Every structure is written in structure tokens, then in C-alpha cells.
Amino acid sequence: MAAVASGKKAGDSQTPRKYPGITSPISLSEATKFDIDLNVKLVNTLKPYNVFDTEEGLTHRMVVLGKLNKLVKEWIKQVTLAKNMPPAIAETVGGKIYTFGSYRLGVHGAGADIDTLCVAPRHVDRSDFFSSFYEILKDQKETTDIRGVEEAFVPVIKLDFDGVELDILFARLALPQVPEDQDLREEVLLKNLDQRCVRSLNGCRVTDEMLHLVPNRENFRLALRAIKLWAKRRGVYSNVLGFLGGVSWAMLVARTCQLYPNAIASTLIHKFFLVFSRWEWPQPVLLKQIDENNRLGFQVWDPRTNPMDRFHLMPIITPAYPQQNSTYNVSLSTRAIMQEEFKIGLQVTQEIFEGKATWDKLFEPGSFFGKYKHYIVLSTSATSKEHHLEWVGLVESKVRILIGNLERTAYIALAHVNSKQYPPLNPQEDVFVTNWFIGLQFNKIEGGNIDLTFEIQSFTDTVHRQAISNGTLKEGMKIEARSVRRKQLGEYLPPSLLKFNKKRSLPAQGEEAGETPPRKKISLDSGISPASTPGSAQTTPVTVRKLSTKADDTDTPPTTSASPPLPEAEEQQGTTPETTANGTLDDSITETNGSAAGTGVKRPHSPDTPDAAADSNTKQSPTPEGSEAEASAGNKQPASPDSQEAKEVDTSVDDSEPVPKRSHSPSNEGPDQKLQRQVSSQVATSITKLMC
């Protein structure tokens, strides 16, 4: 579905013009000289970050893809002959390598990986791909670090081929042969395919569809390069950890291009932050209308018919059939973090357009290690490089489970996982280690213990069960979780990463500036409990340190709190936690008496929960001039009772952590808030009609 806008010249009748998207553009303004100058400065700022590939790099990638395509054709011929098919047919069955992702979009940088898809005719099975073709790749002299992930949601072979990192997916078409000019956008190709083949094909289909839905590809590409760099520098680029991946960021930029079809990249970046800092999640982002005629019967994202789709927190819907949500991994914490980053990005781009800042400020990294007082250090180790690669991939894919476990506790307001992996500060010979860091922000508590042992133990048990079921768990593989305070991060990270400045946050409601709220001290009790996988004789040590709040501020060795019941296999071993004095930390958190902190994330409510109705009355912030159109540009639907809201994240580094309370009463709204609520209601009604 394309929106229609009209333009009228002197002496001409009104001539409609179609624009891609489900709504009309917000603005058709052309670029000014000021915008063009900012665009030039943007390009010059991006160059040192290697977001543009060199001519030599492009040529080398073409050579690598050519070699890979030749290997695919030869392999398909071998499989055809091995299945007793005539040699004449083996010469004509075809097969081809397709690209998708950043390389296909034309926004890859120097050293970036290439997402590829191996398309084969119907007589070639997925088992052939992960057996005979895997061996062919492994035998190539250019191949290093190859590993197959056959049981993944989208099965993939990962490898480095002649210095280029490749991800190779597989799809078998229901065709006797695959011609060189096969167009994967044809919907009929999905007929009689299994779900994994459909998901693999969707990468290419979504990329091609996206390029057809943006009004100006060059402006889209430059804006996307900048947004991807910003997301990586700010630590919000990782689909597997619950943030957004490359496809999701591309769809957000594409939607911005649809709303401002004549804008150039510099303007698009500013409008990107303007639109999505005010987007009313979980309203979905759509590049085109979802076709109601589901001819092939595949499951399509639709919260009206699929109950699970109603719980997606930040839906960004792929434009190709079958339409799916590309952000199903997003959690309450990661959404709150990204919403805060959108607001920061809007503030910075406003300063850039006012001449108060340069583009370099937009790409400054965040101060993750100065943002929180408490962290969990998650470490994985193995005794060989090959085993370590497999182990890291499995653990990383499950980190979001740990984040979900932490969010469901009454003590945690926010669990922020750093998207980067860090090596050990003091590496050991023949031991390969990777660390992740999770920042914790606590709700206000009255006292007592905060014991996260169960949440961490549940996560490690899940990882072990998965590793045993798919045969990943090997001798020497370990996973450890330690809770540390900010001042202890020097034991894991170099000093260059720990430079940050403390700044005072806003006073809480009812607290005058300059007043010091009552303080409570939080200490850490550390215990070590070996974790074993239930039902398995194979055990892997897991270090678990328990977080406890203490009303006093003594530095005496902590007492051991009770551990949760161990799995049956552990009880038979008769293991007991050991108390270690080195886990005592004397850093403190300042807390105010009263209700829970407003900097956290709201817990999801079920449709029957009375609080769900109260949450819908959350007061909106005043809308700047022109922002009503941006806010209403989304694909608005009436908020369901299942919708989940996220409060702002306190980005300051302060011991007190108080924030102003937000009013939840509509009676406290000012004229601007009432106007915005009325506009949003009208837009929601119109969008509902479009969806129906």
C-alpha cells in the first residue's frame, strides 16, 4: 500500500503522487543549503570510523563471493550425482549464493561480515548442507574458524573465508532447478517449504523489499550508516542480547525516509530521533500494510489473532510475507535503555542543527561502567579456541534469559547488559575467557536480603541443559557469574574503560535541591556453589555471589545467607556453599524512604490486573512544535490492556539515585498534554480503520 500525496503547480490540475508507506509523508520539504553543508560534514565525520569500504575491500569481497558461489554449484552437482540422477540433469540443476543484510543494502563497512544464502533445488537437503558442504568448506585453505549451528532458530554456518567473515544460511526451493535469474521476492516460492527454509529466505526477501520501499536509496544508505554507527557506539546494537539488529535499525531508518521522502541524510538522522523518541510503543512500525489474504497459510504477525504477539514490547514488522516481528528479543530493560538513547540522540542532533555541536558528539560512546553501582560479571571459559567459540555463541544466545529472570524479581528496576564482549584483564595460558557485564539498578527497598542466587542458577541450568542436548558441552567449559560493585571493576577491566564523571541526578519529588536523603548501605554476601545439570553426571562449576542489603555499614565479613534448593543431582553430591571474605564490598547506595523508584521499568500487567488500567493514564510529556505529526506518523492502534510501558532510565552516576515522580492523573495535564492525547486518540482511530 502506498500513500498518496498531491502537489499543484500554477495552471495545473492537482496531480497525485504515490509515496511508499502506510501513511502520507509528514513533510515534502527539499534540502536547503544548510542541510547540504551538514551532509558534507556528516560524511567527513563518518570516514575515520571505517563505515565506508575501500575499493580494494569491495573487489576482495567480490572475489570471495565468486569462489563461494563456485563451491556451491560444484557441491550441488556432487549431491545430484550421489542421488543417482543423470549427469545431464546434474549440469543444469543450478544453485546460487544470494547476499542480504548490510552488504545487500549497500551499507557495509570495512571488515564487516557478509550475510549469504545458499539456494538449492528440491533434491538437496539441509542435512547435506551441514554435512558434505560443511566438509567442503572446512577443507578449503582459505577457511578458518568454521562452525555450524544446525539447531539455531535460523540454522547457519559461520566461518572466515580468505579474511572475510561469512554467515551462510540454507534454503531448498520446491523447484527441480534454480536458474541464475531467480527472483526470491516471488511469494509462490514459499509454497510447500518448511519453516526454517522460509525464515532463511526471509532475509533476502526483506532486504529486497526494503530497497523497493524507500523513496531515495542513496539518502537511505548514508543515514543508515550513521544510525548503525551510533547504535554500536552507544551499545544498543545486538539482536541476540535484546537490543536491535541491523535489519531492525534499517527498517526504522526506512520508515523515517517514507515520512520525509525529500530529506537528505543529515535531516533524516535528526527526524529519526524526533520520531522514535516520541513513538508510542508497543505500536508497531510498518513499512507496508499487512496483506489480509494469507494465501499460503504461514503465521503472520497479528496481535488480533495471535495472543503471543500482544506481548511484544517494541514490534518492528518485516515488509515481506510472512510478516514477522524482528524484535521479539526486546525486554523491558532494553526497551527502556533504547528509549533513553533516542532522547539523548534527539538532544544532540538539535544541538548540531543549532550549531552548538558537531557530528562527533553524536558518536561519543556511553559511560556504561560509570552508570550503575552494581554489576554482574558473566564469564565463559574453555580450554581450546574452537570449544570457546561454540561455548560463547551458546551463552550469548541465552543471556537474555538471565535479563528476563532479573527483571521479574521485585528488587531489580533495570538490568542493562553491555553489548560488547571483553577479554580477561590477566589472560592465562591455554584458557580462553570472555566476559559480559550487566549493570543493575535496584528498586527502593526497606531492608533485608536481596538474593539473586535462584535467578542466576536458573540461567546457568538452562545453558547447561541446552549444551548437553545439542552436544556442545565439552570438558573444560565453565560459566561463572559474579556480582561486583563499581569500584571493583578494575579487577576485570583496564583503567581506560573506567573513566567517568559523577553527576547529581534530579531531586526526588518532595526533596529540595541540596538536601541529602536518608542513606542505606548495600553489601554483597558471596558464596560459591557448584552447579550441575539435572539428570546429568557431567558437572560444570558455577560461581554465584549473592547480593544482600544491610542496614548497617560495617566492613565485617558477611554471613552466608541460605541458598535455594539445589537440583536433585546436587543434593546427592551433598555440596554446600562456602563463605569467602573477599566478597565484602563497602560501597553504598543512597536511597530515599517512600515508594519505589521512578527510574525503573514497570512490570507487565495481565489484562485482569487492575493496575493495567491505571498505567494507561500515564502523563505525557509536552510535545514540541511539529512533533504531533511525528508522533502520529506511527501505525497507531488502540493500546490493548496487555501493552507494557517503560519508565525513563536514570543515566546519571550518583549515589542517591532519586528522580521526580511522574503524575498518573489526567487531571494534572496541561494544555499541551491534553492536545497531544487528543491527537493520538484521533490517529489511533484512523489507524485502526486502516488495519481493519
Side-chain angles (χ1 to χ4, degrees):
M1 178 178 178
V4 178
S6 61
K8 188 174 182 180
K9 296 182 180 180
D12 294 341
S13 60
Q14 198 169 18
T15 304
R17 177 184 173 185
K18 290 184 177 181
Y19 290 94
I22 67 169
T23 62
S24 298
I26 292 177
S27 173
L28 298 176
S29 300
E30 300 284 347
T32 64
K33 184 179 183 303
F34 178 77
D35 298 332
I36 296 173
D37 292 340
L38 277 182
N39 217 52
V40 174
K41 294 177 181 178
L42 173 64
V43 173
N44 293 333
T45 302
L46 292 176
K47 286 180 179 179
Y49 293 101
N50 293 325
V51 298
F52 302 100
D53 205 353
T54 62
E55 290 295 332
E56 295 80 6
L58 288 172
T59 302
H60 181 59
R61 289 171 184 272
M62 293 295 293
V63 172
V64 167
L65 290 174
K67 291 180 180 179
L68 182 61
N69 195 54
K70 184 177 179 181
L71 288 175
V72 166
K73 293 182 181 296
E74 291 296 330
W75 164 65
I76 292 177
K77 288 181 183 179
Q78 294 177 15
V79 173
T80 303
L81 294 173
K83 296 188 176 183
N84 299 321
M85 299 181 72
I89 294 181
E91 294 293 332
T92 60
V93 291
K96 187 179 178 182
I97 281 289
Y98 291 82
T99 61
F100 62 98
S102 61
Y103 184 83
R104 177 70 181 91
L105 289 173
V107 296
H108 66 282
D113 65 343
I114 303 179
D115 297 314
T116 61
L117 172 68
C118 173
V119 176
R122 62 191 179 193
H123 62 275
V124 181
D125 299 324
R126 186 177 302 277
S127 59
D128 299 321
F129 177 74
F130 282 97
S131 57
S132 56
F133 186 61
Y134 180 88
E135 293 300 324
I136 290 175
L137 290 173
K138 191 174 181 179
D139 292 339
Q140 302 300 312
K141 63 179 181 180
E142 298 94 343
T143 298
T144 58
D145 295 337
I146 184 171
R147 57 200 182 278
V149 191
E150 189 172 0
E151 300 303 323
F153 186 71
V154 181
V156 61
I157 292 178
K158 296 175 174 287
L159 74 156
D160 286 348
F161 192 89
D162 199 11
V164 178
E165 186 178 350
L166 297 173
D167 290 351
I168 310 177
L169 310 184
F170 175 81
R172 179 183 65 171
L173 301 183
L175 300 174
Q177 57 183 354
V178 180
E180 281 292 323
D181 59 348
Q182 180 65 58
D183 186 2
L184 299 182
R185 293 179 65 207
E186 298 176 8
E187 192 173 304
V188 69
L189 292 176
L190 304 180
K191 191 175 182 180
N192 299 325
L193 297 187
D194 61 45
Q195 284 288 350
R196 289 187 293 183
C197 283
V198 172
R199 287 194 289 264
S200 298
L201 283 169
N202 236 20
C204 291
R205 289 166 51 78
V206 167
T207 303
D208 291 344
E209 192 69 34
M210 200 183 310
L211 289 173
H212 282 80
L213 289 172
V214 293
N216 187 302
R217 293 186 182 182
E218 292 305 314
N219 291 335
F220 163 73
R221 284 169 174 154
L222 181 55
L224 180 55
R225 288 182 191 272
I227 293 300
K228 288 181 65 175
L229 175 63
W230 165 82
K232 292 176 181 178
R233 300 281 290 178
R234 302 298 296 184
V236 291
Y237 189 101
S238 177
N239 178 65
V240 70
L241 292 178
F243 297 104
L244 303 190
V247 173
S248 299
W249 288 117
M251 286 190 284
L252 293 186
V253 175
R255 182 63 182 136
T256 308
C257 292
Q258 292 178 344
L259 297 175
Y260 301 90
N262 298 328
I264 59 176
S266 58
T267 303
L268 288 172
I269 294 170
H270 174 61
K271 299 301 183 183
F272 170 89
F273 291 113
L274 181 61
V275 169
F276 293 109
S277 64
R278 290 164 171 78
W279 196 274
E280 296 182 4
W281 306 105
Q283 305 300 337
V285 176
L286 295 168
L287 296 183
K288 60 184 293 188
Q289 196 62 267
I290 297 177
D291 191 357
E292 297 289 339
N293 187 9
N294 190 352
R295 290 176 290 274
L296 300 181
F298 289 106
Q299 185 173 357
V300 175
W301 186 88
D302 189 348
R304 298 170 298 179
T305 59
N306 304 326
M308 292 303 297
D309 292 344
R310 301 170 191 168
F311 295 94
H312 292 169
L313 301 177
M314 203 172 178
I316 302 174
I317 311 306
T318 56
Y321 175 85
Q323 291 83 359
Q324 301 293 324
N325 177 25
S326 65
T327 59
Y328 52 86
N329 284 341
V330 171
S331 68
L332 289 168
S333 292
T334 54
R335 185 181 70 172
I337 293 163
M338 287 186 283
Q339 286 178 311
E340 182 67 19
E341 290 296 337
F342 286 145
K343 295 175 183 177
I344 296 173
L346 175 62
Q347 180 181 353
V348 173
T349 52
Q350 286 176 339
E351 293 176 1
I352 293 173
F353 272 77
E354 292 171 0
K356 299 178 181 178
T358 64
W359 287 110
D360 290 298
K361 185 175 182 180
L362 183 64
F363 306 118
E364 291 178 354
S367 58
F368 173 82
F369 295 109
K371 194 173 183 180
Y372 306 101
K373 291 177 64 64
H374 298 272
Y375 295 84
I376 291 178
V377 183
L378 187 63
S379 300
T380 59
S381 60
T383 54
S384 73
K385 185 177 181 181
E386 182 179 354
H387 291 171
H388 184 245
L389 285 173
E390 296 180 10
W391 190 227
V392 166
L394 175 62
V395 174
E396 184 179 40
S397 68
K398 304 298 180 184
V399 168
R400 67 179 186 274
I401 296 178
L402 175 58
I403 300 300
N405 292 345
L406 296 173
E407 288 178 344
R408 283 188 288 271
T409 67
Y411 316 110
I412 305 297
L414 190 77
H416 182 179
V417 57
N418 192 321
S419 60
K420 293 183 180 179
Q421 301 175 3
Y422 294 89
L425 190 60
N426 300 308
Q428 302 178 13
E429 188 177 358
D430 298 330
V431 178
F432 300 87
V433 180
T434 295
N435 295 326
W436 290 272
F437 292 84
I438 302 173
L440 299 179
Q441 185 175 346
F442 290 97
N443 286 316
K444 291 188 173 71
I445 54 176
E446 296 299 330
N449 293 332
I450 299 178
D451 190 350
L452 301 178
T453 305
F454 176 79
E455 286 73 19
I456 296 176
Q457 188 73 56
S458 175
F459 161 71
T460 55
D461 287 345
T462 300
V463 173
H464 289 138
R465 282 193 296 267
Q466 180 69 34
I468 291 176
S469 66
N470 60 21
T472 303
L473 191 60
K474 304 292 192 308
E475 184 69 26
M477 289 182 174
K478 297 180 182 179
I479 177 172
E480 296 179 339
R482 301 184 183 92
S483 27
V484 301
R485 296 207 177 203
R486 186 170 60 224
K487 67 179 185 179
Q488 288 184 305
L489 291 175
E491 300 175 11
Y492 304 92
L493 297 166
S496 59
L497 293 176
L498 302 178
K499 295 179 179 178
F500 52 85
N501 297 320
K502 289 189 175 183
K503 56 183 180 181
R504 174 77 164 122
S505 62
L506 294 174
Q509 186 178 19
E511 175 189 346
E512 297 296 335
E515 291 186 2
T516 302
R519 302 174 64 90
K520 287 184 181 178
K521 304 296 181 181
I522 289 184
S523 63
L524 296 178
D525 289 347
S526 64
I528 300 178
S529 60
S532 63
T533 306
S536 170
Q538 199 168 8
T539 62
T540 303
V542 180
T543 302
V544 179
R545 300 197 177 187
K546 292 165 287 184
L547 289 140
S548 303
T549 58
K550 301 291 182 182
D552 56 84
D553 191 23
T554 61
D555 292 333
T556 56
T559 57
T560 305
S561 60
S563 298
L566 296 174
E568 182 179 353
E570 289 184 321
E571 292 177 351
Q572 294 173 357
Q573 296 173 6
T575 57
T576 57
E578 298 176 1
T579 304
T580 56
N582 59 7
T584 303
L585 307 175
D586 56 4
D587 204 359
S588 61
I589 282 186
T590 304
E591 297 175 346
T592 57
N593 295 325
S595 60
T599 59
V601 180
K602 290 184 182 177
R603 304 294 173 213
H605 297 289
S606 65
D608 300 326
T609 305
D611 292 342
D615 288 345
S616 63
N617 294 328
T618 303
K619 182 178 178 181
Q620 303 292 329
S621 58
T623 306
E625 180 182 359
S627 65
E628 290 87 358
E630 279 83 355
S632 64
N635 318 305
K636 299 288 188 278
Q637 301 175 4
S640 67
D642 299 313
S643 64
Q644 301 167 343
E645 299 293 336
K647 294 182 181 179
E648 294 183 5
V649 180
D650 185 7
T651 58
S652 63
V653 181
D654 180 48
D655 290 345
S656 59
E657 300 181 351
V659 296
K661 292 184 178 179
R662 297 173 62 184
S663 173
H664 291 263
S665 173
S667 61
N668 294 333
E669 291 181 340
D672 291 339
Q673 292 93 330
K674 290 182 179 179
L675 176 62
Q676 181 177 353
R677 182 162 51 83
Q678 293 170 0
V679 171
S680 298
S681 177
Q682 294 172 0
V683 172
T685 303
S686 62
I687 293 299
T688 302
K689 294 179 180 179
L690 286 174
M691 292 292 291
C692 296

